[in-house]
Amino acid sequence: MRTELIAPDAAGIARAAALLRAGALVAFPTETVYGLGANALDRSAVARIYAAKSRPSDNPLIVHVAGPEEIGRWAEADERAWLLVDRFWPGPLTLVLPSRGLVGDGTVALRMPAEPIAQHLLAHCARPVSAPSANRSGRPSPTTAEAVLEEMDGRIEAVLAGPPATVGIESTVLDLTGPTPLILRPGDIDRLQIAKALSADVGSAGGSQRSPGTRYRHYAPDVPVRLFAGSEDWLRRELAQALLATPEAVYIGLAATAPAGARGLLAADLRELQRSLYGALRDAEVRRVPVIAAWPAPSPEAAGVRDRLWRASGGHVTQEREREQQKEGSGEIS
Ligand code: AMP
Ligand code: MG
């Protein structure tokens, strides 16, 4: 199959929408990452998403809608859902709600993207669009049209080639099917923001620190990623040593914790780290060099980027306390 690159002008958006309606797979830009879209009402098109991504069939897809007025058609929304939609839509918040009529386990995950090209596409298509990230399963998500082609060239009909994603990691997924709202996947909209909007407690299912081991390798490039967690001073020292031992490795983290002479992604703040993370992982992969990454300190705003780094590393973390204990154990500290 030849994958067509479509310009994101009015004619291109109309063409992409027509392809989706005809059962084709079309990748498109959103503010989080590029999505791999199919008409959610067309079972065979949706099945082709799983084949193109080699995605496990038990991992459901997010359904993208053109506006809040679509919610009632596909889901049962309660007062909490409407409060959150008022506050955060369009944007990187996916709501899991009891489903009305769409195939699945009785629930549906809905999101309205903020990227105007995605909004025009959904409006033109006049169908809900199922779209996971446009990468092969387990790999870093694409944040540019070029990265989509690296993942999907020859596997899908078209890519609507828009601008790079501005958020850079996938949406926050919030389960509203039970009495307590539960974050299933952390993202740009954090637990405190949601709790504040709802004036209620918000739980989280499987925070990054609770997920043990390599079972959770995901969002991962094809090169080793080693993660370091600790205070700024400790990080600068440890990272300098690690980079000395593997001089070809690149650094990914905040500039504040980068050792002198580090090359790679030295992000000014969490926002930049989040936006540039997947691109930096892809760069390391293209150059076939390992990654040495500094884990940002835990905070509600850092939860998304911590989760992606943790999974990219396959749980390979060196923690300050453990390291010092190892040194004590081996008599390195007098
Ligand atoms: P992706 O499509 O790769 O961005 O991932 C979508 C995320 O949303 C995955 O973590 C899914 O497990 C989750 N998700 C999608 N639909 C549902 C649903 N109905 N219930 C719970 N989680 C969902
Ligand atoms: Mg994904």
Side-chain angles (χ1 to χ4, degrees):
M1 180 190 308
R2 217 190 107 256
T3 299
E4 181 183 343
L5 260 188
I6 302 179
D9 52 20
I13 290 171
R15 161 123 187 97
L19 281 169
L20 282 172
R21 279 199 303 270
L25 301 186
V26 180
F28 61 97
T30 85
E31 74 281 18
T32 58
V33 301
Y34 270 69
L36 175 52
N39 174 0
L41 306 180
D42 178 340
R43 278 184 198 227
S44 68
V46 172
R48 287 187 53 223
I49 290 182
Y50 285 87
K53 280 183 63 97
S54 311
R55 180 172 171 113
S57 60
D58 59 357
N59 193 1
L61 306 175
I62 294 171
V63 175
H64 292 68
V65 293
E69 63 285 354
E70 292 278 300
I71 295 175
R73 263 185 90 181
W74 311 114
E76 314 270 354
D78 59 14
E79 197 184 332
R80 300 173 303 175
W82 290 118
L83 273 172
L84 294 172
V85 164
D86 272 353
R87 173 73 184 76
F88 297 114
W89 277 25
L93 177 65
T94 296
L95 299 178
V96 176
L97 299 167
S99 153
R100 258 191 195 158
L102 286 171
V103 271
D105 66 350
T107 67
V108 63
L110 292 178
R111 177 166 111 82
M112 177 189 181
E115 164 58 51
I117 296 168
Q119 289 182 3
H120 286 130
L121 177 68
L122 290 164
H124 252 84
C125 185
R127 309 275 186 286
V129 171
S130 292
S133 48
N135 51 279
R136 281 172 275 134
S137 200
R139 298 193 24 80
S141 302
T143 53
T144 62
E146 295 72 45
V148 173
L149 280 180
E150 284 165 29
E151 295 287 319
M152 289 292 158
D153 199 11
R155 294 175 177 232
I156 62 177
E157 276 78 9
V159 180
L160 188 55
T166 52
V167 171
I169 62 169
E170 305 78 358
S171 59
T172 307
V173 177
L174 184 74
D175 185 352
L176 285 179
T177 61
T180 304
L182 264 188
I183 293 183
L184 303 182
R185 176 174 73 186
D188 191 54
I189 294 176
D190 68 53
R191 195 167 52 81
L192 279 189
Q193 288 175 283
I194 295 170
K196 199 169 155 205
L198 292 177
S199 309
D201 286 343
V202 174
S204 73
S208 52
Q209 279 170 313
R210 275 205 275 148
S211 316
T214 53
R215 203 150 51 95
Y216 292 92
R217 196 164 158 91
H218 198 85
Y219 310 119
D222 203 12
V223 291
V225 177
R226 261 182 87 190
L227 204 49
F228 288 78
S231 60
E232 280 193 19
D233 284 348
W234 178 87
L235 278 173
R236 270 194 297 271
R237 254 191 351 259
E238 281 303 311
L239 293 166
Q241 279 188 22
L243 286 168
L244 260 177
T246 12
E248 72 281 16
V250 294
Y251 172 82
I252 293 182
L254 294 171
T257 52
R263 295 163 296 113
L265 170 56
L266 286 77
D269 52 25
L270 277 173
R271 189 144 287 283
E272 187 192 345
L273 182 57
Q274 190 174 284
R275 186 174 58 243
S276 305
L277 175 63
Y278 286 139
L281 291 173
R282 279 177 187 280
D283 273 356
E285 190 174 54
V286 168
R287 296 169 45 209
R288 313 257 13 110
V289 293
V291 172
I292 288 180
W295 215 13
S299 67
E301 320 81 85
V305 88
R306 279 170 60 84
D307 172 71
R308 304 316 188 272
L309 275 169
W310 163 265
R311 290 170 193 265
S313 78
H316 191 147
V317 189
T318 305
Q319 304 257 13
E320 180 170 8
R321 219 167 340 118
E322 285 169 22
R323 191 54 180 257
E324 297 308 324
Q325 280 162 0
Q326 275 170 19
K327 282 186 188 166
E328 281 169 39
S330 64
E332 274 182 56
I333 290 178
S334 55

